[in-house]
Amino acid sequence: MPSGDFVVVYAGARLAGGSRVEGFTQLWPGVRLEQGASPGPGVTFERGADGAPADIVVGAGARIGAGATVRCGVTIGGGAVVEAGTLVAQSVPPYAIVSGVPARITGYVEKSPGSGARLWHNQAEFPERQAVVPLGVGDVTLHRTKLVRDPRGDLSVGEFPRDIPFDVKRYFLVFNVPSEKTRGEHAHHKCHQFLLCVKGSCAVVVDDGHDRCEVLLESPDMGIHLPPLTWGIQYKYSSDAVLLVFTSHYYEAEDYIRDYAEFVDIVRGKQAQ
C-alpha cells in the first residue's frame, strides 16, 4: 500500500500486498507493482499517451531509487535494483542492478533485496592450475584447461570429452558486442553449453533458480560448463572480446527457456518431484 506523502494512485493501477511507495509519485493506469516492490521517493512513472495504459510492471521485491524515471512498456524484473536518478527505457532482467541515463546493467544481486542489506552475488575464482572445480551453483563447473607458454606463441588446448564434458554438435562465436549490452538471458531444457572467451574478456552470470554467481572469463584457458536448466547471462564484454560456445545439441527453438519466471517454476517443479 502507498505509505509516503503525495502518492496518487489512479484507477487502473495495481498494487500487490507488501509493495511500498515512498512518496511524491503518481501511479497511472497500467502501472503494476508486484509483491514487495518498492519505488523510492520522487519516482516518475511515464503516463500512457492519450489515456492508454502505461503498461509498466515492477516485479516482486524490485527496488527503484529516488528520482528514477520509468518509461511506458517497461518491465523491471523481480529482485532488480534501479539506482537513484536512472532513466529506465528498456526492460530490466530479474536481479539486475541498473544505473545511468539511459539505464545500463552494472551488476546482479544474489537474492531479492526485499529485506535487510543488499546481498551481492558471489564472484568465482578459477583454480590456478589445470583442474575442474564445482562452482556451487547447480552442477556448473569451472575448467582451467592446459596452457603452454612458448616464445613462439602460447598454446591452449582441450579434448573432447575429457575437457569439454559432452559430445559437441555445434559451436558459435559472439563478438563485436557493445560493452553496455547483455546477451544470453535464457536456459535450456536439454542442451549443455561450454563457454570460452578466446580473446578479451567477458563476465558470465549463472543461476540455478536459487543461487547465482558471476564468473570472469579473461584468458583462453578459462572455461565454464553450463548444464541444462542453468540460467546464463553474459555481459561486461571488452571491446575485443570473442566468446566461443560449444553446445551438446543442434539449435532447437523449443529447447530455450527465455522467461525467468517460467525457468524458476520448472526448476522448483523438478526439485519437488
Side-chain angles (χ1 to χ4, degrees), residues 8 12 29 35 59-60 66 70 77 100 111 116 124 127 145 166 175 185 188 196 225-226 233 242 258 261 269 271:
V8 181
Q35 185 175 12
V70 183
K111 297 183 183 298
T145 60
F166 51 81
F175 53 100
E185 297 189 51
H188 290 274
L196 288 163
H225 172 216
L226 277 60
I233 300 164
V242 179
R258 299 188 183 278
Q271 291 173 343

Side-chain angles (χ1 to χ4, degrees), residues 127-145:
E128 293 293 327
R129 299 180 178 178
Q130 184 177 358
V132 178
V133 297
L135 184 59
V137 177
D139 293 324
V140 175
T141 49
L142 300 179
H143 297 242
R144 176 76 77 169
T145 60

